[in-house]
Amino acid sequence: MPKNLTEEQVAGFRRDGFVFPIDALTPAEAAAAVDCLERYERDTGERAMATLAHKSHLPFRRFGDIVRHPRILDAVEDLIGPDILCWGSSFFVKEARDAAYVSWHCDTYYYGIEPRETVTAWVAFTPSDRESGCIRCIPGSHLADTAFDETPDPANLLTRGQTTRDVDEARAVHMPLAAGQFSIHHECTVHSSEPNRADYRRIGLSIHYCPTRARQTRYAERPAAALVRGADRHGHWTPEPRTEKEFDAEAAARMKTIRAGFLGRRRG
């Protein structure tokens, strides 16, 4: 029996490549996450969207706890099994009434992880709905081969402008979430999001999980990941330390180095 999802939700994920909404944080916990994020922005003078990427949980005790949240991990376990690594996380922040958007893409274009079993839990810290630019997915697209172009656009929150070719937007399913809820999508699911037309910031944390049997095949260096549930009997990843401080400046520096290295890589 599934731990969090229903059998119907698991079957729907296998068919469609996504599932939503799923409850996780309380409204108070979601508000505390926003406070933590905005305190980081005030204290450092840096925008979360520009700097908290690829390992955004690493410098923060609070976000390290969220990537290990039992309700999130229960749902992930229902989909990929009990031995789970968190190998990355990024914030996606759309400012109020801003033109920023995310183009149609699927994450597997640049992951390089085999087998292709990564799932992304997208946790909403503020309401993510059609007005504020929630994620929308193309059902069943994780089962098909897709091609893409790189077309950078200053308004696109994807740095490289990854854009899937020939998307039928009429088939898109929007995935609205209340603050504290999350969705899960498969790494091969084609998805995007539109601009934020609301009067508040749309803030979400994108968390990437894979089974411990998966390995990175695209890049030479051995990557790091956090074992968040179960056991790692394969050793494909370097164990990632957990931050115990409210904010760890040294871990933040490591996060920035990892992000810079990722942006400097060539696609394989």
Side-chain angles (χ1 to χ4, degrees):
M1 292 291 292
K3 286 190 169 184
N4 186 341
L5 305 178
T6 66
E7 292 181 356
E8 291 77 13
Q9 286 176 312
V10 172
F13 178 86
R14 306 288 182 222
R15 180 189 65 243
D16 296 330
F18 56 89
V19 58
F20 77 101
I22 314 164
D23 294 332
L25 309 180
T26 67
E29 289 171 332
V34 173
D35 288 343
C36 180
L37 181 83
E38 294 185 337
R39 187 183 316 116
Y40 163 82
E41 292 180 317
R42 290 193 302 271
D43 291 347
T44 64
E46 297 178 328
R47 293 174 56 248
M49 184 64 217
T51 56
L52 297 183
H54 305 294
K55 295 283 187 181
S56 61
H57 62 281
L58 198 58
F60 302 91
R61 183 176 60 198
R62 181 176 301 278
F63 299 133
D65 289 344
I66 288 175
V67 304
R68 296 170 174 84
H69 194 288
R71 289 190 62 83
I72 297 175
L73 294 181
D74 283 348
V76 171
E77 180 175 340
D78 289 339
L79 301 175
I80 67 172
D83 300 325
I84 304 171
L85 295 169
C86 171
W87 60 265
S89 65
S90 295
F91 274 95
F92 281 86
V93 180
K94 292 180 182 174
E95 302 300 331
R97 297 201 171 276
D98 190 79
Y101 70 98
V102 175
S103 57
W104 288 108
H105 70 288
C106 65
D107 303 328
T108 194
Y109 292 151
Y110 43 92
Y111 278 1
I113 295 175
E114 297 292 342
R116 293 182 176 183
E117 295 179 3
T118 287
V119 297
T120 294
W122 201 96
V123 186
F125 294 149
T126 61
S128 178
D129 52 28
R130 294 190 68 161
E131 184 182 24
S132 62
C134 64
I135 295 178
R136 49 183 182 163
C137 292
I138 303 297
S141 54
H142 66 305
L143 302 175
D145 292 329
T146 59
F148 76 106
D149 299 306
E150 290 187 355
T151 54
D153 178 345
N156 192 346
L157 294 180
L158 299 181
T159 305
R160 300 179 182 178
Q162 304 94 303
T163 303
T164 304
R165 299 174 188 166
D166 304 321
V167 173
D168 181 2
E169 294 195 20
R171 299 182 56 235
V173 174
H174 290 77
M175 301 200 299
L177 301 171
Q181 292 183 323
F182 68 103
S183 62
I184 301 178
H185 64 266
H186 189 278
E187 66 170 284
C188 297
T189 300
V190 175
H191 59 288
S192 71
S193 64
E194 296 173 294
N196 181 6
R197 300 179 179 86
D199 292 327
Y200 57 86
R201 305 175 88 190
R202 194 216 65 165
I203 301 174
L205 178 62
S206 181
I207 311 170
H208 310 305
Y209 298 102
C210 68
T212 56
R213 63 180 173 272
R215 68 170 72 210
Q216 172 60 254
T217 63
R218 181 165 296 180
Y219 309 115
E221 66 270 24
R222 187 166 179 249
L227 180 66
V228 292
R229 178 165 288 186
D232 182 1
R233 301 174 181 86
H234 304 277
H236 299 320
W237 304 73
T238 299
E240 182 178 274
R242 182 172 183 170
T243 299
E244 299 297 339
K245 300 178 181 178
E246 183 176 359
F247 176 74
D248 187 325
E250 291 184 3
R254 290 198 303 273
M255 173 193 66
K256 290 181 179 180
T257 299
I258 292 168
R259 180 176 186 270
F262 180 87
L263 292 176
R265 293 164 174 159
R266 287 184 178 271
R267 192 175 70 252

